[in-house]
């Protein structure tokens, strides 16, 4: 079997167990059915299956263990589920695109510029090795290119863009869009591992990528019309989101976040399909922005 065939089998095993812990017979039966669709012989022996579990552990850092009581295989540690899901989705896409010579009529991609993915290897190496990085950065607000040297801490995705989070010399945590970085260089200058910086905790109560100088955490209550409510339930705005009312007239949710620019712009994108129940400060800020937008249109049409 080719290397691509092995990786296909690994991904299908993970996919099956992700959805539901399964016995060896169930996993093998699933692979047998997939063989017809994928044009590969994917069925295997229990000995080969054990070898595959070791390879999956080494390649994907996914530990699949056998539960003797329930007689099923399951993924033991889901702490890296986001990374795992992204890796598998990319592999599924790659595999699908190799099934046909011309996919232009079947798959339509947005025309997007570089998102900075070419810097991933260097940045991950720098973060793991605690090495500072230097780069040039285009600042939209000032229309200038500025040179930076920072301690890189984490790479974060938001709305299809990638961002680098790190500390500048002054000790300030800053965010940089990878698509605006050029001339990236990993230096030999070491820095102390940032034990005090926890990226998950840092962004826990923020919507988006940019933090705020505001230090008050707000309890937000929003009301959506029933149709928009279905989307909000299937794709939550924030990890703190909870549904407090759901009927034929509205879907009402509660979440706890800081009032950042990113969050405000997200709410404005819903237009009249969302209503802010509380707090009042958010109501006033949204009204002010909508009024300014309306005034801008009036000036352009007069």
């Amino acid at each position: 079997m080719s290397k691509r065939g092995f990786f296909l089998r690994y991904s299908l095993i993970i996919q099956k167990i992700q959805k539901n812990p399964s016995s060896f017979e169930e996993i093998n039966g699933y692979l047998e059915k997939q063989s017809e669709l994928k044009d590969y012989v994917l069925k295997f022996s229990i000995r080969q299956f054990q070898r595959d579990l070791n390879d999956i552990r080494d390649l994907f850092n996914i530990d699949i263990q056998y539960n003797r009581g329930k007689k099923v295989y399951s993924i033991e540690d889901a702490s890296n589920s986001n990374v795992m899901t992204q890796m598998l989705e990319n592999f599924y896409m790659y595999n699908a695109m190799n099934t046909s010579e011309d996919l232009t009529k079947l798959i339509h991609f947005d025309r997007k510029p570089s998102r900075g993915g070419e810097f991933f290897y260097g940045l991950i190496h720098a973060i793991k090795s605690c090495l500072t990085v230097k780069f040039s950065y285009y600042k939209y607000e000032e229309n200038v290119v500025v040179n930076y040297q920072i301690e890189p801490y984490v790479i974060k995705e938001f709305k299809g863009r990638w961002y680098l989070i790190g500390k500048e010399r002054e000790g300030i945590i800053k965010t940089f869009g990878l698509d605006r970085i050029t001339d990236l260089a990993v230096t030999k200058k070491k820095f102390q591992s940032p034990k005090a910086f926890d990226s998950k905790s840092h962004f826990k109560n923020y919507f988006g990528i940019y933090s705020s100088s505001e230090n008050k955490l707000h309890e937000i209550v929003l009301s959506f019309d029933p149709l928009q409510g279905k989307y909000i339930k299937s794709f939550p705005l924030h990890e703190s989101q909870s549904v407090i009312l759901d009927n034929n007239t509205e879907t009402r949710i509660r979440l706890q976040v800081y009032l950042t620019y990113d969050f405000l712009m997200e709410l404005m994108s819903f237009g009249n399909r969302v209503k802010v129940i509380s707090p009042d400060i958010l109501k006033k800020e949204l009204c002010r922005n909508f009024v300014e937008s309306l005034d801008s249109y009036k000036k352009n049409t007069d």
Side-chain angles (χ1 to χ4, degrees):
M1 183 182 289
S2 66
K3 290 183 179 179
R4 179 166 167 255
F6 280 113
F7 275 93
L8 175 59
R9 195 168 68 204
Y10 300 155
S11 67
L12 290 172
I13 291 171
I14 297 168
Q15 186 181 48
K16 173 63 176 174
I17 298 174
Q18 253 190 319
K19 290 182 178 179
N20 192 39
S22 307
S23 66
F24 170 75
E25 290 73 20
E26 290 171 332
I27 296 168
N28 213 9
Y30 174 71
L31 291 178
E32 189 173 12
K33 291 179 181 178
Q34 291 296 316
S35 296
E36 300 175 7
L37 298 174
K38 312 296 184 183
D39 197 26
Y40 273 98
V41 178
L42 299 170
K43 191 176 179 180
F44 51 15
S45 66
I46 185 66
R47 181 174 295 181
Q48 179 61 57
F49 179 57
Q50 294 299 328
R51 287 197 292 266
D52 283 357
L53 295 187
N54 291 330
D55 290 340
I56 289 170
R57 189 178 298 110
D58 292 339
L59 293 168
F60 296 96
N61 196 27
I62 297 172
D63 188 20
I64 297 174
Q65 293 289 340
Y66 182 65
N67 186 316
R68 294 186 179 278
K70 298 180 180 180
K71 297 182 179 180
V72 295
Y73 290 88
S74 61
I75 296 175
E76 290 299 297
D77 183 9
S79 61
N80 63 342
S81 59
N82 288 337
V83 175
M84 177 177 67
T85 300
Q86 186 71 49
M87 289 173 63
L88 292 175
E89 284 182 353
N90 289 338
F91 183 78
Y92 298 149
M93 179 63 72
Y94 167 79
N95 200 55
M97 292 178 70
N98 275 275
T99 60
S100 174
E101 293 182 3
D102 183 11
L103 295 176
T104 57
K105 294 181 180 180
L106 304 179
I107 302 176
H108 294 178
F109 292 97
D110 284 342
R111 293 183 177 180
K112 294 180 179 178
S114 170
R115 299 189 299 161
E118 65 270 24
F119 300 130
F120 266 41
Y121 184 84
L123 287 174
I124 291 173
H125 168 69
I127 293 169
K128 291 173 65 176
S129 305
C130 293
L131 297 171
T132 63
V133 294
K134 298 192 297 184
F135 53 85
S136 299
Y137 190 71
Y138 177 50
K139 301 184 74 173
Y140 287 149
E141 304 87 349
E142 302 167 26
N143 196 30
V144 295
V145 175
V146 179
N147 294 322
Y148 285 95
Q149 180 166 337
I150 71 163
E151 298 176 1
Y153 290 165
V154 68
I155 300 171
K156 182 175 172 62
E157 184 188 21
F158 179 63
K159 288 199 167 185
R161 291 177 181 265
W162 291 101
Y163 297 85
L164 172 65
I165 317 299
K167 188 174 73 173
E168 208 180 359
R169 293 177 182 177
E170 293 79 6
I172 302 172
I173 302 295
K174 287 193 173 183
T175 301
F176 304 90
L178 293 195
D179 57 316
R180 290 189 268 161
I181 288 178
T182 55
D183 304 320
L184 177 76
V186 179
T187 75
K188 295 182 179 180
K189 183 180 179 181
K190 298 276 290 186
F191 63 88
Q192 191 172 2
S193 180
K195 295 180 180 179
F197 181 79
D198 183 342
S199 62
K200 290 184 179 180
S201 298
H202 183 77
F203 289 103
K204 180 180 179 181
N205 296 116
Y206 288 107
F207 175 88
I209 197 67
Y210 294 105
S211 56
S212 168
S213 58
E214 183 190 39
N215 56 13
K216 183 179 180 182
L217 186 62
H218 293 273
E219 181 175 278
I220 314 293
V221 179
L222 305 172
S223 174
F224 294 88
D225 65 45
L227 178 59
Q228 189 62 53
K230 292 179 181 179
Y231 291 99
I232 292 298
K233 287 184 293 182
S234 65
F235 198 82
L237 282 174
H238 189 260
E239 64 180 35
S240 65
Q241 175 178 310
S242 62
V243 178
I244 56 178
L245 182 63
D246 192 21
N247 54 38
N248 294 330
T249 60
E250 69 169 321
T251 296
R252 189 173 294 193
I253 65 170
R254 179 189 291 118
L255 55 155
Q256 289 190 324
V257 294
Y258 292 104
L259 301 184
T260 61
Y261 175 80
D262 285 337
F263 183 64
L264 188 65
M265 292 300 101
E266 183 72 8
L267 292 187
M268 290 188 68
S269 71
F270 292 113
N272 64 353
R273 311 203 77 163
V274 63
K275 178 182 178 182
V276 177
I277 306 299
S278 64
D280 288 338
I281 186 175
L282 181 55
K283 290 182 187 179
K284 292 177 181 178
E285 188 64 19
L286 271 178
C287 286
R288 185 181 67 81
N289 277 270
F290 279 124
V291 169
E292 288 181 357
S293 295
L294 183 60
D295 287 343
S296 177
Y297 277 108
K298 287 181 178 178
K299 289 177 183 178
N300 293 328
T301 56
D302 287 344

